[in-house]
Amino acid sequence: MEHRHREVIQLVRRHEHIHPGGPAETMELWQAMDLPMGARVLDLGAGFGGPAHWLRGAGADVVALDLEQANCRRCRGHNPELPMPTVRADAVHLPLADASFDGAIAWCMLGFVPDQVRLLQELGRVLRPGGRFGVDVYTVRDASLYDPGRTPMRYIHSRERWLELIDASPLTLSAEEDLSDQYADAYRKFMVNLKVQIPSLRVRFGREQVADAVTRFSRNVNEVLFGGKGGLRLVCEKPTGSSSQTGRDEAVRTL
Ligand SMILES: C[S@@+](CC[C@H](N)C(=O)[O-])C[C@H]1O[C@@H](n2cnc3c(N)ncnc32)[C@H](O)[C@@H]1O
C-alpha cells in the first residue's frame, strides 16, 4: 500500500493533477468531448494546471480559470517559455465574452460551488452554439453514508439531481457515463494521498477549507469520502440555435 501512495504523490507532483484519475482521466474526458484540434477551451477550477497543460499538449487552445491567485500563478508558470493564459475569477461570474469558447471542462471543482445553477448559466453564455462542456462529478449514491458537513465538497448530488441541473440549464446532455467503479479505487488512493500532501503542496480550496479538510479526512477516510459516493461523466452541448454574439475577453493573463 505504501509504495502505491508514493506513486500517487509522484503523479501529482509530476503532472499537477488534483483529481482522482490523473492524466488518464483528463484525456478520457477530453476524448469524450470530441472537439477539434485548436478548439478554445476553458478549464474551470484549473488548480495547479496539470489538466490544462495536458489539454494543451493534446492540441487545445486552453484558458485556465481559478478562484485562487496562487493557483493561477502556479498554472501560468509551468512553462515559462509558453505561459498558460489564466483568469482569476469565481466560476459563477465569468469575466469572459459571450460565445468565446468551443469547450469548457471542470474536474473536481463543481462540488465546491454552492450556486451551480448560476455557473451553468455562465457556461451557456460563454460557449459558442455547438460548444461542449465536459465534466466529471462525484455522485451521492447512498445519502445515509454521505455527510456533506464532513467534506469540503459540500455540493454533490445524486445522478438524478445532476441531470435535473443540466436539464434546467442552457445546455443539453449529449453523453453520460457512470464512473463509480473506476472512482472507487482511484478516489480512495487519491484522498489518502491528498491528506498527506496538502501541507506540502499548499492546496487552496478556499483557505479555511484546507485545514478543515485535513482534519476531516483524518477521521475516517473510508466512511466520509467514498462510502456513499460514485462518479459520473457528463458531456453537454450548447444548442446550435442559441445566440452567437461574440466578443473579446479582457481578463485573460499570460504574464
Ligand atoms: C480539487 S481542485 C481541482 C483542480 C484541477 N481541476 C485538477 O483537476 O487538477 C479544485 C479547484 O477548484 C477551484 N475552485 C473552487 N471553487 C471555485 C470557483 N467558485 N471558481 C473557480 N475556481 C474554483 C479551487 O481553487 C481549486 O483549485
Side-chain angles (χ1 to χ4, degrees):
M1 199 66 173
E2 185 55 32
H3 75 280
R4 289 165 88 197
H5 291 180
R6 251 183 266 124
E7 259 173 46
V8 180
I9 290 173
Q10 290 305 324
L11 192 77
V12 175
R13 290 225 168 103
R14 246 182 305 131
H15 303 296
E16 306 253 281
H17 277 64
I18 325 174
H19 65 243
E25 186 184 348
T26 299
M27 297 322 291
E28 275 173 25
L29 177 58
W30 174 240
Q31 276 155 20
M33 289 173 70
D34 196 22
L35 286 170
M37 290 286 282
R40 189 163 193 249
V41 176
L42 179 64
D43 184 2
L44 290 172
F48 297 162
H53 282 82
W54 277 68
L55 291 190
R56 183 150 86 172
D61 174 12
V62 185
V63 173
L65 179 139
D66 203 280
L67 195 55
E68 298 291 343
Q69 186 67 280
N71 291 355
C72 288
R73 212 175 293 125
R74 185 159 173 158
C75 189
R76 270 200 307 280
H78 266 266
N79 179 353
E81 286 166 26
L82 193 58
M84 174 67 65
T86 60
V87 181
R88 184 194 181 191
D90 190 326
V92 301
H93 299 286
L94 296 174
L96 300 166
D98 296 358
S100 53
F101 286 87
D102 305 300
I105 218 146
W107 280 277
C108 226
M109 78 78 71
L110 273 191
F112 294 106
V113 180
D115 196 348
Q116 293 159 346
V117 169
R118 172 78 201 239
L119 182 149
L120 290 168
Q121 274 166 1
E122 279 289 83
L123 270 183
R125 182 180 67 73
V126 302
L127 283 176
R128 298 195 172 104
R132 299 197 187 121
F133 174 47
V135 63
D136 287 358
V137 288
Y138 301 112
T139 51
V140 176
R141 287 202 293 184
D142 181 344
S144 68
L145 287 175
Y146 177 70
D147 176 357
R150 294 177 70 189
T151 154
M153 283 214 151
R154 301 230 159 86
Y155 310 101
I156 67 170
H157 316 290
S158 65
R159 167 187 171 272
E160 291 69 30
R161 177 65 190 141
W162 281 121
L163 297 187
E164 274 171 23
L165 280 164
I166 301 295
D167 206 37
S169 80
L171 310 175
T172 54
L173 185 68
S174 40
E176 173 196 346
E177 189 184 340
D178 186 348
L179 302 179
S180 302
D181 287 345
Q182 78 187 64
Y183 261 29
D185 190 44
Y187 194 60
R188 183 187 318 254
K189 284 189 277 175
F190 174 70
M191 292 323 295
V192 170
N193 284 288
L194 200 56
K195 183 182 78 173
V196 174
Q197 293 170 59
I198 279 173
S200 59
L201 290 181
R202 296 201 176 85
V203 176
R204 289 160 177 261
F205 299 153
R207 275 168 210 91
E208 290 161 10
Q209 285 176 344
V210 177
D212 286 357
V214 176
T215 316
R216 290 193 183 104
F217 296 168
S218 310
R219 282 198 205 132
N220 188 340
V221 170
N222 284 1
E223 177 208 333
V224 177
L225 290 163
F226 55 90
K229 270 185 183 176
L232 187 63
R233 171 164 301 156
L234 301 172
V235 179
C236 312
E237 190 161 316
K238 177 167 169 178
T240 41
S242 356
S243 141
S244 61
Q245 193 184 6
T246 57
R248 287 181 56 79
D249 32 63
E250 308 296 342
V252 180
R253 281 192 62 180
T254 49
L255 296 173

